[in-house]
Amino acid sequence: MDLLDRLQARYGGLSYASGFFQSEVIFAPSCDPEGVDEELEISYAVETGSPVGASVKIDGAVEIGLDCSGVKEFGGLDCLIECDAMFSVADALGLEGQLYLNSGTALMAIEVLRAEEGLGLEFVSEASGLHSYWLAGDSAMVYAADVWNLLNGGVPSFVKFWTTGEDVRERIAILIAQAR
C-alpha cells in the first residue's frame, strides 16, 4: 500500500478545473482490492462527477476510464496535471480553433505541425500522454487527442489550437486540414 499512501499524501484532496476532462476534478485515491487474482489498482484517483475518471495502476501509470473500459494514458499523475496546466497557459494566447480528425491521426497531425519550421512548435513530453499530445511555441500552442475516441468511440480525434495572431491560426488550420 506504499503507492496508495504516497498518492493520498501528495494528491489527496487536490481539486481544480481540468481542461483534459472538461470538468472540475477531485483527487481521491483509494484502494479496495476484490481478489488476490486481480491487478492492484488505485481507483478514484481522479473523480470528475461523471462516468469518466482516472485510476492508477500498480506501476504508477494513469488509466483513463469510462464505466468498465479504460485506456492507459499517462506515466503518472504529475503528467496528467502538467497536461491540465497547459490548457490554462494556452487560453491566455487568445485566438482559438478546433478541427476534428480521422480516428487515430492525432500524432500524425502533431508531426506535420512540428515539421513546419516557421511555427517553431516543440513537443512537450511532460504534458503529453500515449494518445494525447501538446506542442508549444512563442505564438501558438496545440493539443491533439485520440484518447477519447479510443475509450468509447463517441468522441472523434481532434486538434485544438491557440494562437496570438490570425495568420498563425490560419496556417495551423491549413496544415491540419492537409494532414487529415
Side-chain angles (χ1 to χ4, degrees), residues 69-138:
S69 64
V71 174
K72 279 192 180 180
E73 182 58 23
F74 297 105
L77 286 175
D78 284 344
C79 192
L80 169 61
I81 293 168
E82 289 291 335
C83 178
D84 271 331
M86 297 291 287
F87 285 98
S88 295
V89 175
D91 284 340
L93 287 179
L95 297 173
E96 184 178 316
Q98 182 169 324
L99 295 170
Y100 291 98
L101 304 168
N102 295 325
S103 296
T105 59
L107 183 58
M108 183 174 63
I110 288 294
E111 292 302 327
V112 166
L113 293 172
R114 281 180 74 184
E116 183 68 19
E117 291 180 19
L119 293 174
L121 295 170
E122 298 290 329
F123 186 70
V124 185
S125 60
E126 61 273 8
S128 297
L130 297 173
H131 310 99
S132 55
Y133 317 96
W134 273 102
L135 294 176
D138 292 337

Side-chain angles (χ1 to χ4, degrees), residues 34-58:
E34 294 184 16
V36 288
D37 294 339
E38 290 187 23
E39 180 184 3
L40 182 64
E41 178 178 63
I42 309 300
S43 55
Y44 307 109
V46 181
E47 295 180 28
T48 65
S50 75
V52 178
S55 61
V56 177
K57 299 297 188 180
I58 192 66

